[in-house]
């Protein structure tokens, strides 16, 4: 699990253009440099290995608003450890992974539909810059229908910022984006995909073979009274 957490950290940094992670005894510190997201502390332990004393110590050292904690255990547990000034994301997160495999042609005498076809009227665009591959699906009227990006960092690749506009859901666009990104990562030598999922995205990811490896709780420091 330590390897998956480190893979997620490295890929997220590449995807978001954040500062290189600083290795800490308990995990990683990443500077983001935004007013609402100045710094994040990511703990490398997961499940029962997450130590209350360690989380409390790091949280108590935070004095500036805009610092985030990423803890790989359930939200009620983390909430009980944090003092005043911390906002806990009410939506649970999930650290997920997938063994990346090439699309295999199905053995059948009947012609097969493409596994991730672009719906009629939609337009798919893929491009890479700075080691990050991005996918955009434009709706028939030119508006954004879906998007996502992936950052390969060697044998692993981190999927990030997957989004489907509400008016364009249930049309296979999320699957189209995910499979397009997976192919791009395979072409760059990645073998394993890693992502931090939300409740909205979990069903899609699991339908594509992704497995939950640990719960993920996000907490943001807003300042003490």
């Amino acid at each position: 699990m330590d390897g998956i957490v480190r893979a997620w950290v490295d890929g997220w940094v590449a995807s978001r253009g954040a500062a290189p992670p600083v290795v800490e005894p308990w995990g990683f510190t990443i500077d983001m440099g935004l007013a609402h997201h100045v710094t994040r502390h990511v703990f490398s332990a997961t499940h029962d290995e997450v130590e209350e004393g360690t989380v409390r110590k790091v949280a108590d050292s935070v004095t500036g608003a805009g610092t985030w904690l990423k803890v790989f255990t359930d939200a009620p547990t983390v909430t009980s450890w944090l003092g005043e000034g911390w906002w806990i994301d009410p939506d649970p997160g999930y650290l997920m992974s997938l063994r990346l495999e090439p699309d295999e042609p199905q053995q059948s005498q009947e012609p097969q539909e493409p596994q991730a076809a672009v719906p009629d009227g939609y337009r798919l665009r893929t491009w890479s810059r700075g080691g990050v591959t991005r996918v955009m699906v434009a709706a028939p009227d030119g508006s954004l229908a879906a998007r996502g990006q992936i950052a390969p960092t060697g044998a692993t690749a981190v999927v990030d910022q997957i989004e489907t506009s509400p008016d364009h859901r249930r049309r296979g666009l999320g699957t189209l984006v995910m499979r397009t990104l997976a192919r791009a990562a395979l072409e760059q030598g990645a073998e394993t995909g890693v992502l931090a999922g939300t409740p909205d995205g979990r069903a899609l990811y699991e339908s594509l073979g992704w497995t939950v490896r640990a719960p993920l709780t996000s907490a943001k420091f807003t300042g003490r009274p």
Side-chain angles (χ1 to χ4, degrees):
M1 284 301 301
D2 284 354
I4 292 179
V5 172
R6 180 60 197 253
W8 179 60
V9 166
D10 288 342
W12 187 89
V13 164
S15 177
R16 301 295 180 94
V22 176
V23 178
E24 310 279 7
W26 40 262
F28 310 92
T29 293
I30 305 167
D31 287 328
M32 188 65 186
L34 300 174
H36 66 283
H37 195 157
V38 183
T39 299
R40 63 165 46 186
H41 300 306
V42 181
F43 295 85
S44 58
T46 61
H47 298 288
D48 294 340
E49 295 182 358
V50 179
E51 297 180 351
E52 176 181 354
T54 301
V55 175
R56 285 185 178 273
K57 182 178 180 180
V58 173
D60 290 345
S61 71
V62 175
T63 57
T67 295
W68 288 77
L69 303 182
K70 299 290 181 174
V71 190
F72 295 102
T73 191
D74 61 272
T77 298
V78 176
T79 300
S80 69
W81 295 346
L82 301 181
E84 291 184 340
W86 286 97
W87 171 83
I88 309 296
D89 190 339
D91 292 329
Y94 311 96
L95 183 66
M96 307 181 72
S97 68
L98 171 73
R99 177 71 178 178
L100 298 174
E101 301 282 357
D103 290 338
E104 296 292 343
Q106 300 194 16
Q107 300 298 319
S108 172
Q109 298 301 317
E110 298 295 329
Q112 300 292 323
E113 292 293 330
Q115 291 190 346
V118 182
D120 290 344
Y122 288 83
R123 178 171 60 89
L124 175 68
R125 178 76 187 277
T126 303
W127 69 96
S128 297
R129 188 180 297 273
V132 179
T133 296
R134 292 173 170 82
V135 171
M136 179 195 79
V137 181
D141 65 359
S143 62
L144 180 67
R147 70 170 309 277
Q149 58 197 59
I150 194 164
T153 54
T156 56
V158 170
V159 174
D160 191 26
Q161 295 192 320
I162 304 299
E163 176 187 354
T164 301
S165 300
D167 291 342
H168 300 279
R169 291 175 181 171
R170 300 189 180 280
R171 302 184 187 184
L173 299 182
T175 297
L176 171 63
V177 168
M178 291 293 291
R179 287 183 169 160
T180 302
L181 292 173
R183 285 196 297 271
L186 279 166
E187 290 171 359
Q188 296 183 56
E191 301 172 354
T192 302
V194 181
L195 62 78
T198 63
D200 286 343
R202 179 176 175 176
L204 166 65
Y205 306 141
E206 288 184 329
S207 73
L208 296 172
W210 290 75
T211 301
V212 174
R213 304 300 299 274
L216 170 58
T217 297
S218 298
K220 178 183 178 181
F221 188 65
T222 58
R224 294 186 176 88

